[in-house]
Amino acid sequence: MPKVTVDGVELEVPQGATVLQACELAGKEIPRFCYHERLSIAGNCRMCLVEVAPGPPKPQASCALPATDGQVIKTDSPMVKAAREGVMEFLLINHPLDCPICDQGGECDLQDQSVAYGRGASRFHEEKRAVTEKYMGPLIKTTMTRCIQCTRCVRFSEEVAGVDEIGALYRGENMQITTYLEKAAKHELSANVIDLCPVGALTSGPYAFEARPWELKKTLSIDVSDALGSNIRLDSRGREVLRILPRINDDVNEEWLSDKGRYMVDGLTRRRLDKPWLRRDGKLVAATWDEAFAAVAKINPGSSVAVVAGDMVDCETMFAAKALAGALGSTQLEGRQTGLDYDCSSLAAVNFNSGFAGIEEADALLIVGSHVRWEAAVLNARLRKVAKKGGKVFLIGPEWETTFPATFLGTDLSVLGNLPKEAADTFAKAERPALIMGGAALGKGALDACLAFAAANRLVKDGWNGFNVLHMAAARMGGLMLGYAQKGGIADLVAAKPKMLISLGADEVDYTRFADSMIVYIGHHGDKGAHAADVILPAAAFSEKPGAYVNTEGRVQFADKAVFAPGDAREDWTILRAMADALGVTVGFDSFDQLRAAMIAAVPALGREGLAEYGALPKGKAGISGSIEAYPIKDFYLTNAIARASETMQRCSAELLHGETFAEAAE
């Protein structure tokens, strides 16, 4: 490992590190605009200048200079200080004085670094350059006169998202960043360029002029728009969440977030259920809580009760409902709303065993029945790394536009037992072979065949488990750990003909199959489930309650409460506790702490943040027929009740997927 000296302090740095990384290991802050640790090195902003000996007698860009043995690096010499002041002065020549009206104000790298490293005054008085605005879709607001051409957005689109939508036109002073032909950025990670932009050139369209960062309360939470469990931060003011931003977690989402997870935030305040409702004479009418619980008590279902959990429910809510059903004498619990009935006797067989970070190490990958771009957009960015490192990717299912080199093997599932020669040779030679099984494959009963494929192709070996199931619901793994899985799926609940069906925000169920049941809907949006309900009890959304979530790799994570639920809505567990009183049973908890303690006592893994242990992978039976004709998700932007209530998501769906046009104000 090379030894370098940074401002008089000698230290060892890893082989291949840059001078900038060496300085940061020494605790020195190096200003930068174009450099980002997850993107390739561009070296074009020149803000990270340092003095290096041996070397030419001038400052050098530390981001692009390899650290070598014996280097003496100075980060605060007069030469470096003058050079940084000069660079900052040039960057500000054409930058408009928009800070009072710029949404980046208060969290802007250019503001911070001009204060720390700038001269304090400019010697240039020429007219500033102006750039025409570019249209990048409904999510990204552009003010390209502010752009300093750091090219972070260009590199993100090409390297991480894998979609060549943003690039640079012209040269020198005339250079402009734009989407080619000025079309909207359509990929599912497009809004991450807003976080990457170090100035106010790319800002959030829906959030424009809403708030300043110092006005907002920041709450740590978990994204419930898919099963990845991306770490997020909820920024709220008063009783409203104004924006959602990603948090860094290298094991889960790195620092990216899907556009749906970020922008369905406005759906949290629209179409909300804020009072109880009862169905009388075929119509839903507003009621009080006392009237609603009286109606529930009147049902008097005895043990004829079933519970269906929705896709965005926290573990505590599911455990509280399970406790209520158990107190009534029922074990009819199901979380797979759409009818899936795969075997859950071994959770290792339905887990993403290699982990999101681990899948990057795969050198041969077979994706069965999964449209990864829509089912797990952030994971799709990791799969690009597999292909970039030389790994071969094969897919079974209808073709979709991948962002990495991949070979489709058709839609016939019998291919699992008889791979084409190229794929068979690739898996035979692979050191770390892997398989990802999606919802479409689970729906076709391919779990056994995929387990047999894992055994035949050595997917499990010392230090490596390449068998992965990719779920699509944030509540799925937590529900499976809590027993929300009947042997025959939701068909078992239908066959039981329960007097009362408790729906925990379950909006994807075909409620016509429960025509003889009294449906009690505990949810937060007036979506499909509420329309079918006989009793509606208004509950809290994920941002309005604390809770535990388990992602598709079995990682237990905890979210905090950011705001209060609107109107008469209450946290789900309090509703279930009150229902227990109305039905005359005891559930064993009177507070959230008691509820969580009881849940952890029943399932200890839910009390430990991190990966749960599910044991060894079971064996499966080879041989399967049938084909995958379609994927479960038909519209990426409208997959849950919050997204369907969001005006932003509705516009994204209409414009980006269905080609509708929207006139601008001046048109």
Side-chain angles (χ1 to χ4, degrees):
M1 288 173 40
K3 283 188 178 179
V4 299
T5 303
V6 180
D7 291 341
V9 177
E10 188 176 75
L11 72 155
E12 283 189 351
V13 297
Q15 193 70 41
T18 63
V19 169
L20 186 149
Q21 291 168 328
C23 293
E24 297 214 321
L25 286 172
K28 300 294 179 180
E29 181 181 351
I30 304 296
R32 83 290 297 268
F33 291 114
C34 69
Y35 174 80
H36 191 279
E37 52 271 18
R38 300 189 198 278
L39 303 176
S40 62
I41 294 169
N44 56 9
C45 78
R46 318 310 286 179
M47 195 63 208
C48 63
L49 295 172
V50 296
E51 191 176 344
V52 182
K58 62 178 183 179
Q60 298 188 65
S62 59
C63 69
L65 186 66
T68 57
D69 199 45
Q71 279 178 334
V72 178
I73 304 163
K74 295 179 182 177
T75 68
D76 55 2
S77 67
M79 180 196 293
V80 170
K81 186 172 182 294
R84 289 176 181 168
E85 287 178 354
V87 170
M88 182 59 71
E89 196 171 2
F90 277 119
L91 286 174
L92 294 175
I93 288 174
N94 286 311
H95 200 80
L97 294 175
D98 281 350
C99 298
I101 61 158
C102 178
D103 272 319
Q104 197 86 340
E107 47 192 9
C108 174
D109 291 351
L110 190 64
Q111 278 184 333
D112 297 340
Q113 294 185 35
S114 62
V115 169
Y117 304 103
R119 290 183 70 249
S122 175
R123 293 169 289 181
F124 291 89
H125 303 286
E126 288 77 15
E127 291 183 5
K128 293 183 181 289
R129 180 185 80 138
V131 180
T132 55
E133 296 313 333
K134 307 294 187 288
Y135 183 68
M136 292 193 182
L139 304 180
I140 305 169
K141 178 175 179 280
T142 64
T143 312
M144 301 312 291
T145 299
R146 301 172 188 159
C147 180
I148 61 170
Q149 286 93 39
C150 70
T151 68
R152 280 185 180 183
C153 56
V154 178
R155 285 175 283 146
F156 172 83
S157 297
E158 293 180 354
E159 298 165 12
V160 178
V163 181
D164 294 338
E165 287 186 335
I166 302 177
L169 299 180
Y170 316 123
R171 300 177 64 186
E173 188 183 19
N174 296 319
M175 181 178 170
Q176 297 181 22
I177 303 294
T178 179
T179 53
Y180 302 115
L181 305 178
E182 297 197 22
K183 296 289 185 182
K186 290 186 177 181
H187 63 84
E188 301 76 18
L189 299 172
S190 65
N192 287 287
V193 300
I194 296 167
D195 298 334
L196 289 172
C197 184
V199 296
L202 304 178
T203 53
S204 173
Y207 177 71
F209 309 124
E210 288 288 329
R212 289 297 194 186
W214 54 84
E215 301 173 341
L216 303 175
K217 184 182 80 171
K218 300 166 178 61
T219 308
L220 307 185
S221 190
I222 302 299
D223 175 35
V224 297
S225 67
D226 57 30
L228 294 189
S230 298
N231 288 206
I232 58 173
R233 191 185 85 195
L234 305 176
D235 285 1
S236 58
R237 183 176 60 193
R239 297 187 69 159
E240 184 177 355
V241 178
L242 293 179
R243 67 174 177 178
I244 295 175
L245 296 176
R247 288 186 286 133
I248 297 176
N249 187 328
D250 287 336
D251 293 329
V252 183
N253 59 305
E254 298 181 288
E255 60 186 83
W256 317 126
L257 184 61
S258 75
D259 290 349
K260 179 171 56 182
R262 185 189 298 261
Y263 280 117
M264 70 180 191
V265 62
D266 63 322
L268 289 169
T269 56
R270 292 179 171 85
R271 299 187 190 171
R272 288 303 301 269
L273 299 172
D274 58 0
K275 65 182 77 167
W277 295 79
L278 297 177
R279 190 174 296 278
R280 290 178 179 151
D281 299 326
K283 292 185 178 180
L284 286 168
V285 295
T288 65
W289 278 107
D290 288 340
E291 290 172 336
F293 286 130
V296 170
K298 191 176 178 181
I299 301 170
N300 191 22
S303 62
S304 183
V305 175
V307 182
V308 181
D311 289 348
M312 299 184 288
V313 188
D314 56 291
C315 292
E316 287 84 355
T317 296
M318 288 188 282
F319 181 79
K322 180 180 181 180
L324 174 60
L328 291 167
S330 172
T331 58
Q332 295 286 317
L333 310 171
E334 184 55 74
R336 300 165 294 180
Q337 304 176 59
T338 54
L340 297 177
D341 60 353
Y342 46 83
D343 181 12
C344 300
S345 55
S346 169
L347 291 183
V350 290
N351 186 50
F352 202 96
N353 293 292
S354 67
F356 301 147
I359 197 65
E360 295 179 15
E361 304 301 319
D363 51 4
L365 176 61
L366 178 64
I367 301 173
V368 185
S370 178
H371 187 328
V372 185
R373 276 186 70 170
W374 282 9
E375 294 171 15
V378 176
L379 177 64
N380 190 67
R382 288 194 187 267
L383 300 188
R384 271 185 52 76
K385 298 181 185 179
V386 174
K388 285 173 75 174
K389 290 177 180 177
K392 296 281 185 70
V393 182
F394 303 93
L395 300 97
I396 298 175
E399 292 194 17
W400 49 276
E401 189 178 345
T402 62
T403 58
F404 45 81
T407 304
F408 281 88
L409 303 179
T411 61
D412 193 340
L413 284 167
S414 64
V415 171
L416 283 166
N418 186 23
L419 287 176
K421 186 175 187 308
E422 181 192 1
D425 291 347
T426 300
F427 274 88
K429 297 173 185 173
E431 292 293 322
R432 291 178 179 264
L435 175 143
I436 295 177
M437 184 181 180
L442 287 171
K444 290 291 184 179
L447 182 58
D448 256 355
C450 286
L451 287 168
F453 177 90
N457 290 276
R458 305 171 294 108
L459 264 62
V460 180
K461 54 183 76 173
D462 286 345
W464 176 253
N465 186 339
F467 185 83
N468 303 298
V469 171
L470 179 60
H471 297 294
M472 292 173 284
R476 183 69 76 245
M477 284 304 293
L480 295 179
M481 291 171 73
L482 288 166
Y484 275 74
Q486 299 296 306
K487 189 170 184 181
I490 206 162
D492 278 10
L493 271 59
V494 174
K497 295 184 178 179
K499 281 188 181 179
M500 182 169 72
L501 177 71
I502 301 174
S503 171
L504 304 177
D507 294 303
E508 318 303 328
V509 176
D510 179 5
Y511 285 102
T512 59
R513 303 170 74 187
F514 294 96
D516 298 328
S517 303
M518 176 69 83
I519 299 169
V520 179
Y521 181 78
I522 302 174
H524 41 78
H525 276 76
D527 206 75
K528 301 172 187 176
H531 286 287
D534 298 298
V535 181
I536 296 176
L537 305 178
F542 76 98
S543 58
E544 298 154 2
K545 59 186 174 183
Y549 297 90
V550 187
N551 72 359
T552 190
E553 60 174 353
R555 186 180 300 276
V556 181
Q557 301 182 107
F558 297 95
D560 293 329
K561 177 178 179 175
V563 294
F564 288 94
D568 290 334
R570 297 291 182 264
E571 292 184 26
D572 306 54
W573 75 268
T574 63
I575 298 172
L576 292 158
R577 175 65 183 81
M579 277 182 67
D581 285 344
L583 293 167
V585 296
T586 304
V587 288
F589 57 84
D590 296 309
S591 68
F592 182 78
D593 289 339
Q594 290 177 358
L595 166 61
R596 181 170 276 180
M599 179 184 75
I600 293 170
V603 186
L606 292 175
R608 296 188 292 270
E609 196 162 12
L611 292 171
E613 194 62 56
Y614 294 138
L617 195 69
K619 290 184 168 62
K621 297 177 183 175
I624 185 173
S625 59
S627 63
I628 297 172
E629 304 300 337
Y631 298 109
I633 295 179
K634 304 293 185 260
D635 190 320
F636 168 73
Y637 297 103
L638 303 176
T639 57
N640 60 63
I642 300 175
R644 287 190 285 267
S646 163
E647 288 185 355
T648 304
M649 291 294 95
Q650 289 173 21
R651 174 164 175 176
C652 285
S653 172
E655 182 176 345
L656 304 181
L657 295 184
H658 302 294
E660 292 186 27
T661 56
F662 290 79
E664 297 299 314
E667 298 172 10

